[in-house]
Amino acid sequence: MGSVNVSRRAVLTGLTSLALMGCGCAKKSDKSDDSKKKKKSEKSEDEAFSFGGIGDTGSSDASRGLTVDGVYKRVVTDSRGKEYRFLLVGMTFENNLDHDGRAPVSYVSCYQNGVKLSHCTKYSDPNASKTLEPGYSISVCTAFLLEDEGQPVKVKIKSSNSSDYVYENTYPISHLDYEAL
């Protein structure tokens, strides 16, 4: 893969378009969408790494409305031509609480070979800080720096009420190619 020289404005435009497309706008949840979610979660790991909701729907845990949509390798090039490679974890947050809430991306961690990965500071999803009314959902992403591009990544999501994990799944990433934002 060759290095592409991209201006700072182009990088910011790319990140903004990703936030609007891949990590989309808020939408009203509809219970009829449950069948769509179930079909999506039935895809194989190689197709989309999709999984259903996490947590107990009867709890007040804010992390319960967070689903992992997939993991992706991404690359951006700054205005000086320096490439930044990272792992992007795509998620959907559905606010099924009885009050306004934000996507609990701070409860998401990634591990590789037993070592917690650092967050990538070169990527920030503006949707992660948006507040949603009850019943609405939004796509959010968070980025991590990979230690080893060929080793699987374990994604863990903690409960907001305790240190317990409500979601844990390992994703193979060796077959993924880096895609530019």
Side-chain angles (χ1 to χ4, degrees):
M1 164 183 259
S3 175
V4 177
N5 195 5
V6 179
S7 70
R8 171 174 264 151
R9 176 176 273 169
V11 169
L12 292 174
T13 302
L15 291 175
T16 302
S17 66
L18 174 68
L20 294 175
M21 291 181 350
C23 295
C25 299
K27 62 181 178 182
K28 178 72 174 169
S29 294
D30 181 28
K31 296 303 175 192
S32 66
D33 284 332
D34 287 343
S35 62
K36 289 180 187 175
K37 287 181 185 176
K38 286 180 185 173
K39 283 187 178 184
K40 186 175 182 180
S41 68
E42 292 171 0
K43 290 182 182 178
S44 73
E45 286 185 10
D46 289 333
E47 285 182 287
F49 297 107
S50 297
F51 295 90
I54 58 176
D56 177 0
T57 57
S59 76
S60 62
D61 188 354
S63 62
R64 71 181 179 178
L66 195 63
T67 57
V68 176
D69 299 327
V71 295
Y72 316 95
K73 289 181 180 176
R74 296 293 186 247
V75 62
V76 294
T77 306
D78 69 10
S79 60
R80 291 181 224 138
K82 182 172 179 171
E83 278 191 351
Y84 294 96
R85 295 173 177 254
F86 53 92
L87 181 79
L88 196 63
V89 178
M91 299 163 285
T92 299
F93 171 64
E94 180 180 345
N95 185 3
N96 50 19
L97 301 171
D98 59 356
H99 57 279
D100 292 356
R102 289 186 181 175
V105 294
S106 61
Y107 299 115
V108 178
S109 299
C110 284
Y111 293 80
Q112 210 173 31
N113 297 322
V115 177
K116 187 174 183 178
L117 299 179
S118 300
H119 280 274
C120 177
T121 59
K122 299 296 180 186
Y123 176 84
S124 177
D125 186 349
N127 285 344
S129 61
K130 291 183 178 176
T131 302
L132 296 178
E133 292 180 321
Y136 285 84
S137 66
I138 194 166
S139 293
V140 294
C141 297
T142 188
F144 297 90
L145 298 173
L146 288 170
E147 294 289 323
D148 184 337
E149 295 180 14
Q151 292 298 311
V153 172
K154 183 182 289 185
V155 177
K156 292 179 160 185
I157 301 175
K158 275 188 182 178
S159 168
S160 59
N161 293 332
S162 71
S163 61
D164 295 335
Y165 288 100
V166 295
Y167 178 86
E168 186 175 318
N169 199 25
T170 302
Y171 297 88
I173 61 166
S174 61
H175 69 285
L176 298 176
D177 291 326
Y178 279 98
E179 295 181 21
L181 284 179

